[in-house]
Each structure stands twice: as C-alpha cells, then as structure tokens.
Amino acid sequence: MPLQNPPAPRHELHCHLDGSVRPGTVAELARAQGVPLDGPVRELVTAPARCGSLGRFLTYIDVPLSVLQTPEALRRAARELVEDWRADHVVYGEVRFAPQLHGERGMALDDAVRAVAEGLAEGRAATGVRTGLLLCCLRHQSPDDSLAVAEAAVRHRGEVAGLDLAGDERLHRARAHREAF
Ligand SMILES: [Zn+2]
C-alpha cells in the first residue's frame, strides 16, 4: 500500500484574531467576566456559509470582541490561535486585529498590542509555527483613529509586520485614511 503524503505545509496570510477565537474560549471568558451570552456560543460566533453581506458577517465578531477586553484574554486568544494553526499544518501565520476595539474597559492600544505579541510568542515557543502581526485601521473610524493605530504600529515595529484597513468597503472609502498609511 502506498504511503499517504503528509499534509502540505500551509501559510495563513489573512486571519482576523477576533474572528478566530475558539467558541469554548469565548464561553469560558464570558462566564469568568460575567458577560451574558444570549444563545449557544457556537451559533453566536459562527457565521453561516452564506450570510448575505460582509456587514452581516462582521456581526459575528461582536461577541468574541466583547470578551477580548483584557490583556489576559487577548494573550490567550493569540496563543490558542497559533496552537490551532499548528494543528492545521500552518507553518507561517499572520494575524491581524484592531487594538482600538479592545479599550472598552480601558486597555490602552500599546497594552493590547503587547498582549497579542506575547500570546503569539508563547504560541511560537510551544509549536514552532512562525507568526506575523498586523494592526487594523477601520474604515468607519476617523482619520485620527487610524493615525493612532499607525503610530502604535511604529512604536511596536519589532513585533508588528504591517498595517491593514479593515471594515465594510462598500460603505466606507479608503481615502480618508491616507495619512495613516
Ligand atoms: Zn480582512
């Protein structure tokens, strides 16, 4: 019998952290933080294959986002993502997130970036998967918001590989964010 080929090594180049949190982790964080979930967690965080529009798809990120408001939670999500990549035969993965969406309880941009970078480092050490980190400016936010994210990227240039402009491109043009880029 022929030997089966091992799975080909993969590169993950477009992954949003808040859209990639394990449902079980979302549930655990929600319980620990006293955040109510109004439905089964798997349904709240998993978009159907055809969900109609990018705008609708993005609503599935709201619940994970609501529990990723502490450095500990961000760090855990980043570490577990790298572990999941390893299980998925990913040898290099880039993750992106918008640090300015994680300040609902007062976390500063720099603390959010540091927490994700630390989680990625832990994941790398445990799995050998190589990682990259991108920060997202958001189309619906102001040019000043984007500039603050770009400046955070520069401050953390040792950990941050690039800058993204995320959000609903049908509703919001890129032009307003020119200065940040
Ligand atoms: Zn994207």
Side-chain angles (χ1 to χ4, degrees):
M1 243 174 79
L3 287 173
Q4 272 201 323
N5 287 332
R10 300 174 54 216
H11 288 192
E12 168 62 72
L13 296 179
H14 195 145
C15 176
H16 288 261
L17 180 64
D18 44 11
S20 309
V21 189
R22 295 174 184 168
T25 296
V26 173
E28 269 184 44
L29 291 172
R31 203 176 311 122
Q33 298 173 7
V35 173
L37 297 180
D38 58 351
V41 70
R42 204 162 276 278
E43 287 172 27
L44 294 175
V45 304
T46 311
R50 292 165 175 274
C51 73
S53 69
L54 177 59
R56 175 101 182 86
F57 178 82
L58 291 174
T59 64
Y60 287 88
I61 287 170
D62 292 346
V63 171
L65 203 50
S66 71
V67 298
L68 294 179
Q69 298 295 328
T70 67
E72 297 73 28
L74 273 177
R75 183 170 163 162
R76 174 178 174 176
R79 187 190 69 238
E80 290 180 348
L81 176 61
V82 182
E83 293 168 0
D84 292 347
W85 279 341
R86 173 79 185 90
D88 218 11
H89 310 289
V90 171
V91 294
Y92 174 71
E94 283 184 355
V95 65
R96 59 192 73 201
F97 87 116
Q100 70 278 35
L101 293 183
H102 297 265
E104 283 174 19
R105 295 177 220 161
M107 182 163 40
L109 289 189
D110 292 298
D111 292 332
V113 174
R114 213 171 283 125
V116 172
E118 285 171 2
L120 293 177
E122 289 172 6
R124 278 198 305 275
T127 64
V129 174
R130 291 179 301 124
T131 67
L133 172 59
L134 307 176
L135 303 188
C136 300
C137 302
L138 296 171
R139 285 172 181 268
H140 65 272
Q141 291 191 325
S142 73
D144 282 350
D145 290 328
S146 291
L147 200 53
V149 174
E151 286 166 354
V154 171
R155 282 197 298 280
H156 295 272
R157 61 167 81 74
E159 287 90 32
V160 174
L163 197 64
D164 179 29
L165 182 59
D168 194 331
E169 49 204 57
R170 296 221 311 219
L171 294 180
H172 307 280
R173 315 254 330 249
R175 187 182 299 274
H177 306 277
R178 183 193 292 265
E179 196 183 345
F181 284 82

